[in-house]
Amino acid sequence: MSRDRPTASAWFHRRGELARDGWESVVDPTSTGLAHTGLRIAELNPGDALTLSVEGEERLVVPLAGSFTVKHAENGISTTTELAGRASVFAGRTDALYLSCAAEAVITGSGRVAVASSPTTEVHPSHHLAAADVPVELRGGGPASREVHDLCTPAVLAAARMIVCEVVTPSGNWSSYPPHKHDSHRPGAESRLEEIYYFEAAPVGGAERVAGTAAFGSFATYASDERDIAIAELVRSGDIALVPYGYHGPAAAAPGYDLYYLNVMAGPDPERRWLIADDPAHEWVRRTWPSAGFDPRLPFTSLEKEQR
């Protein structure tokens, strides 16, 4: 299971393959060809600073591990926001900062940070979302149970196009399942959304255990129409999958290892909605979930543990 072999798809990138300008990974139109979504990942040490210039993008700053200070300016007004963050992506919810497309910012701190983005000229106010205000959803059922943190969804944050959430899948479970797509504009039934997956994996126990490079899961995509796409990869911390179209899923956590991914979605449709269409061959699986119930390991992290 070497990480050194070439990737099998232009839509999948190993940790560090998209490094640029002090960032571990940069997903933008110049590096990947995606038109509506972007993502930057960085590891900061004390004294490091990363600049987010005004580029006509709405952005969401998400601490993955550690705490950060974001100094941001808009219309001549400067603000400093402290992001308390968390020990790791397996330690519970995090606070986050939505940055208006008219704001510029500088990030300092220590740890790993993600910046999701989507191009727009539609201005929405910058907003600090507290961890306690991040809704937690349980989705699926049985071995397809997973936990979702809604960071920047239409019901949580006002934004132009961007939709951002986190998914934590317990060891041995599947998520992004059944395989589904959102690549056609069918009002009320399906929306057009590009999607980025950023992965992390860790031995069972999450924040209490050190995540080694051996921890892994798997992820797949395949074509839904004449547009070709195919990913069938083992995924580890820092890897990134790009889904411009096509069916995607499952994202499977290997036994012994928990799996996390950050999803960034946006598209050209006039409404900011996440509407999906399951692969018809597998949509019947959803009907088995009510009787199966949720995995008893979920919620993955209790609110009491988060607040310690």
Side-chain angles (χ1 to χ4, degrees), residues 81-104:
T81 300
E82 300 291 343
L83 296 177
R86 54 192 166 181
S88 82
V89 295
F90 299 101
R93 299 170 295 176
T94 183
D95 56 343
L97 176 63
Y98 175 84
L99 288 171
S100 158
C101 65
E104 59 183 359

Side-chain angles (χ1 to χ4, degrees), residues 128-213:
H128 180 203
L129 178 68
D133 295 330
V134 175
V136 175
E137 292 184 68
L138 299 186
R139 293 185 188 167
S145 301
R146 58 272 200 183
E147 179 176 321
V148 181
H149 303 160
D150 294 322
L151 292 171
C152 184
T153 56
V156 175
L157 275 179
R161 297 186 181 277
M162 185 169 58
I163 298 173
V164 182
C165 67
E166 301 180 310
V167 180
V168 187
T169 308
S171 163
N173 282 14
W174 285 23
S175 57
S176 277
Y177 189 75
H180 59 280
K181 71 183 184 77
H182 34 73
D183 60 12
S184 300
H185 180 52
R186 296 187 296 132
E190 184 180 354
S191 49
R192 290 177 294 176
L193 294 168
E194 293 177 348
E195 187 164 14
I196 300 170
Y197 283 72
Y198 163 80
F199 296 97
E200 292 200 13
V204 171
E208 285 73 40
R209 299 280 297 275
V210 175
T213 56

